Structures are given as structure tokens and as C-alpha cells.
Amino acid sequence: MNKPFSQACENNKVAILAALADSFSTSKTVLEVGSGSGQHAVFFAPNMPWLSWQTSDILVNHQGIGQWLREYPAGNLLYPIELDLNHPWPIEKIDAVYTANTLHIISWPLVQAFFSGVSQHLNQQGKCCVYGPFNYQGQYTSESNAGFDIWLKERDSQSAIRDIEAIIAIAESVGLSLENDHAMPANNRLLVFQKLA
Ligand SMILES: C[S@@+](CC[C@H](N)C(=O)[O-])C[C@H]1O[C@@H](n2cnc3c(N)ncnc32)[C@H](O)[C@@H]1O
């Protein structure tokens, strides 16, 4: 069976890595939420060998992630655990969390569950990096993002490009502070949160 493939992951992985390598420079363990195809994980793990990279997703994606991990194994890259944001997270404490292109797919209650889980499982001073498109002051940052949002909502009425102000407010309500907001290619952002001591 062919592996799942995301062209977007191939396009954005180099820019994301540059920001992650800095934010995760002192982290030892990273949990990726919603690993999708697994393409980010197989690129990031060998390029940040000081980290242990734990993939995760809902069960339906595990086979595809496994195909990528078997083809591109790395000593610090771990096969997926089943992490469904509807349920408690099956992990203890971690130094960092990474998620890409998930917050506009999942429902708003699951966005809240994501940040609650991050707050619960992240060590003090731990980092949480969130990649994807966001709106600022209720405005799209590009025509393409406006069109993407229409497409998302037609596909699933619970999906939507999120307002960055609402994301920051949820994060702050659970003890996470926005440390950086990097511009990324194709009108995306990489938000870096830190858990306050
Ligand atoms: C658009 S894909 C992004 C995948 C990958 N991170 C990327 O950048 O290509 C959205 C991801 O969110 C995951 N997801 C959807 N619902 C979820 C849930 N309830 N709990 C955890 N992950 C979920 C999907 O399985 C999928 O991996």
C-alpha cells in the first residue's frame, strides 16, 4: 500500500525545523500531536538528535505513520501512541509539544482540550509549538487563507481558521505564555508558547 503523502509537509518542513531547533534546543522529549502522515516526524527527529520524538495521532493514521517510520527509521523517533484529544493523554510529563495544521481541523472544544492537555503534561518552562494559519483581529492574512476557511467549513462546520487572540487567551488561561510568533511560508505562523514556572 502507498504511504500517505502531504506536499505541504515537504514544502514547509525546512522552515519549521529552523524555528523548532531553536525553541526545542534544551528539550529532551517532544510529543507531536496529530502526526498525520508522519512526514514531519521523519524529517525533524534525525535533524534534532538531542530529542526523543514521540509521534501520536488517532488510530486511523497509525498505519501510515508506521510506513514512514519503517522507511526512515531514526534512533530517537518513536512509533505513534494513540492520542485522541477527546480523551486523557496516555503519557506522563514531557519537555515539549509540537502540533501542525490541527487547530483549524478540530472543533473549538478540542482546541481547548489541546491546551488543557499541554498544560497538564508539560514540564515547567516547557515549550509548545503550534504551526498553521491564523487570523489577526478577525481578519484573514491572505486571499488564499480566506478561501481555505470556506473550504474547511464546507467540509466540517466545526473546522475554522482560528483567531490568534482567542488562541493566546486559552493558552494564558492554562498557564502558557506566548514567547514568539514566527512568520512562515504560505501565510502560516509558528506560535511558540512557554509554560510559566
Ligand atoms: C490536517 S492534518 C495535519 C497532519 C500533520 N500534522 C501535517 O501537518 O500534515 C490534522 C491532524 O489532526 C488529527 N486529529 C483530528 N482529530 C483529532 C483528535 N480528536 N485527536 C487528535 N488528533 C486529531 C488528524 O488525525 C490529523 O493528523
Side-chain angles (χ1 to χ4, degrees), residues 9 34 36 40 57-58 61 83-86 100-102 105-106 110:
C9 284
H40 275 164
D57 212 318
I58 53 177
N61 284 336
L83 194 157
D84 183 332
L85 291 164
N86 289 288
N101 291 315
T102 48
I105 296 291
I106 59 179
L110 286 194

Side-chain angles (χ1 to χ4, degrees), residues 19 26 71 130 137 147 153 169:
T26 60
E71 196 163 323
V130 178
Q137 294 168 338
K153 288 169 175 160

